[in-house]
Amino acid sequence: MRLEKIKTEGLAHLSYFLSADGEAAVIDPRRDIDVYLELAREEGAVIKHVFETHRNEDLLSGAPVLKEETGAQVWHGPNPEKPVQYAAETREGDTFGIGGALLKVLETPGHTDDSLSYVLYDKSFEDGPVGVFTGDALFIGDVGRTDFYPDRKREVAGLLYDSLEKLTGLGDQCLVYPAHGAGSVCGSGMADREFSSIGHEKLNNPRLRIDDREAFIDAKVAENHYIPPYFKRMEQGNMEGTEAAPPAPMPCPPAKLLDPDGAVCLDVRGIFDFAGGHRTGALCIPLDMLAAFAGWLLPADKPVLLVTRDEDQAIEAATTLQRIGFDNVSGFVGGVMPLAVKNGPLEALEFVDTETVASRVDNPPAGWTLLDVRSLDEYESGHIKNSMHAYAGKLPGAASDLDPDKPVTVMCGSGARATIAASQLMRSGFSQVDVYIGSMKAWTEASMHTIH
């Protein structure tokens, strides 16, 4: 029996390949399916089943692509908002054999109405399950968010409590295989560790330590989560099914930067590359943050021209975008030097340090704003006095009160999200923008300054 975890960086998505005795199953596959096909080839196994734990919000499922490629049957839970056109329905108590392995279905609603968990048994050992694929019901260090049904907040939080009772009843020995890890938008307190057991979670997971149903509901309802606009498109794609991703992007001539023909110039090189010189009007989202912010800031109806360091970075960026439904990548250009030699639309972004920000806080320049673009929870846990809060993903609308002709210093936890936010403000016409590099971490390190 072989169980392989496949991690999708950026999205912190976890999928699984299970094989035994020449048969295989895939749990919660991503859209680019080559990794599962290669594992099946290595094992000499036929992929018979594809299991979905729930309708994903943050990425496109690869289940319909695997079905098309291998002929495997896709299984999905009951009560989806709309019929899942590429899947058959499975319910609690159904069992599936994969060689010497057995998967048994548990209905675990709460995160979504159609959430399932799949309990893994080894047929050679009958004393309890080996593990459970929990989807987004139970994470390592956290549990699933329950804010996707705003008109039913307390009901769905209660459903999740009941589902977690089922899961904890599987026994302390049972290993936990969630669909997401730390960094995912599907939870907020996940451990930076991708292995655990039911027993360990019962002892250490803060949400599982709440043993009163009403107190658990109160805690879930009080959580603050953000819902990126692209989630709606993911919901639709994961009910109707999606096709295989398009081919990798092709290089474009440097002149494309001079006239991108309506495409959004998306600079993924990194914050220091962007600050040193970028195409005027470009949106900065570093490659390792692309999955987190592209769905917030990229318009769905425009082509994307990637600005990258090299071809490898372009391919990785395009793959990440395809996983979240942005297929219209018109190509890529390596760097911005061609703009410099052509006297093209090129500009820089200024970074400022703690000393500069502290002097501005003490003696604010006329019309100056210190804009903190962290999440609301981060901001409320401690911020610089008189700073204004607006979440990076919601700009520029969240900062509509600001005068684009007045100076703005953008900050976050370290400076990365602030650079993304600054690029969005500059694209929207803000003319005096700089970034506090180091941001809250640097401010905290300089302990003489006050945090409010």
Side-chain angles (χ1 to χ4, degrees):
M1 189 183 299
R2 179 179 182 182
L3 177 59
E4 290 285 344
K5 175 179 62 188
I6 297 93
K7 183 174 182 178
T8 304
E9 299 290 348
L11 291 164
H13 168 247
L14 303 175
S15 57
Y16 301 90
F17 174 87
L18 173 67
S19 68
D21 307 315
E23 298 178 348
V26 179
I27 298 94
D28 287 329
R30 66 192 188 194
R31 187 182 185 188
D32 43 312
I33 63 168
D34 286 352
V35 61
Y36 313 113
L37 300 179
E38 183 58 35
L39 286 167
R41 292 187 192 102
E42 287 180 14
E43 289 297 298
V46 176
I47 298 176
K48 293 181 60 179
H49 301 287
V50 178
F51 297 103
E52 293 191 311
T53 57
H54 65 295
R55 180 208 65 219
N56 272 292
E57 302 277 342
D58 63 324
L59 79 164
L60 289 173
S61 170
V65 187
L66 263 178
K67 178 180 181 179
E68 178 70 21
E69 184 71 23
T70 67
Q73 178 63 63
V74 179
W75 300 96
H76 196 95
N79 306 312
E81 290 183 15
K82 295 180 182 178
V84 180
Q85 296 181 15
Y86 54 86
E89 183 180 280
T90 185
R91 286 183 169 271
E92 179 145 348
D94 290 348
T95 58
F96 300 88
I98 299 98
L102 182 73
L103 288 178
K104 186 173 181 179
V105 178
L106 279 184
E107 293 181 22
T108 49
H111 174 66
T112 60
D113 285 341
D114 56 359
S115 289
L116 298 178
S117 295
Y118 298 92
V119 188
L120 173 63
Y121 293 84
D122 183 340
K123 293 179 181 178
S124 301
F125 301 92
E126 297 181 358
D127 192 14
V130 175
V132 56
F133 302 96
T134 57
D136 282 10
L138 173 61
F139 298 124
I140 296 171
D142 197 10
V143 300
R145 59 191 286 184
T146 55
D147 61 320
F148 293 143
Y149 307 94
D151 297 332
R152 301 165 52 209
K153 290 180 181 180
R154 297 192 67 83
E155 176 195 351
V156 294
L159 289 174
L160 183 61
Y161 181 88
D162 298 337
S163 296
L164 294 170
E165 289 278 286
K166 284 185 184 180
L167 291 170
T168 55
L170 294 173
D172 291 355
Q173 84 293 335
C174 187
L175 301 176
V176 177
Y177 300 108
H180 286 93
S184 167
V185 296
C186 296
S188 57
M190 299 180 212
D192 192 12
R193 167 175 43 85
E194 291 165 9
F195 52 92
S196 192
S197 65
I198 291 293
H200 189 277
E201 292 306 303
K202 283 163 62 178
L203 288 172
N204 296 286
N205 189 314
R207 292 300 187 226
L208 292 189
R209 296 179 69 179
I210 303 175
D211 57 9
D212 179 80
R213 193 174 190 270
E214 289 302 310
F216 177 89
I217 292 171
D218 290 342
K220 292 301 292 179
V221 170
E223 289 179 351
N224 176 63
H225 295 281
Y226 292 102
I227 299 180
Y230 86 104
F231 272 21
K232 284 296 180 185
R233 292 191 294 110
M234 298 302 94
E235 291 175 13
Q236 182 177 356
N238 288 333
M239 290 183 288
E240 297 176 358
T242 189
E243 299 177 345
M250 297 296 290
C252 292
K256 190 73 171 176
L257 274 179
L258 293 170
D259 180 13
D261 194 25
V264 175
C265 292
L266 176 60
D267 196 323
V268 302
R269 294 173 299 158
I271 65 171
F272 292 100
D273 300 84
F274 182 83
H278 59 268
R279 191 201 188 279
T280 300
L283 174 62
C284 171
I285 310 180
L287 179 59
D288 62 351
M289 303 178 76
L290 195 56
F293 284 99
W296 280 104
L297 302 176
L298 271 184
D301 58 348
K302 290 187 177 181
V304 174
L305 175 63
L306 293 170
V307 181
T308 68
R309 293 175 185 160
D310 52 37
E311 182 179 8
D312 289 344
Q313 195 177 55
I315 292 172
E316 191 174 348
T319 300
T320 297
L321 290 173
Q322 290 161 1
R323 288 169 179 162
I324 57 176
F326 292 95
D327 287 357
N328 193 3
V329 177
S330 60
F332 71 93
V333 177
V336 295
M337 184 58 73
L339 287 177
V341 299
K342 294 285 189 182
N343 294 311
L346 183 68
E347 62 184 336
L349 172 65
E350 183 181 358
F351 286 154
V352 294
D353 60 13
T354 300
E355 184 178 356
T356 301
V357 172
S359 68
R360 293 176 181 176
V361 170
D362 292 337
N363 297 287
W368 177 71
T369 299
L370 179 59
L371 184 65
D372 190 325
V373 298
R374 296 175 297 160
S375 70
L376 183 59
D377 288 344
E378 289 175 287
Y379 181 79
E380 291 182 342
S381 70
H383 58 268
I384 299 173
K385 69 175 182 179
N386 297 328
S387 60
M388 172 184 170
H389 176 258
Y391 179 60
K394 294 190 172 184
L395 292 174
S400 58
D401 291 341
L402 293 181
D403 184 340
D405 294 322
K406 297 292 176 61
V408 179
T409 297
V410 191
M411 66 168 291
C412 59
S414 64
R417 285 174 290 176
T419 305
I420 294 171
S423 75
Q424 183 73 337
L425 291 175
M426 294 163 73
R427 278 169 50 81
S428 301
F430 282 72
S431 57
Q432 300 182 64
V433 179
D434 55 28
V435 166
Y436 175 18
I437 193 66
S439 283
M440 202 64 197
K441 291 181 180 178
W443 188 268
T444 304
E445 188 71 19
S447 56
M448 73 287 295
H449 298 303
T450 302
I451 298 174
H452 289 255

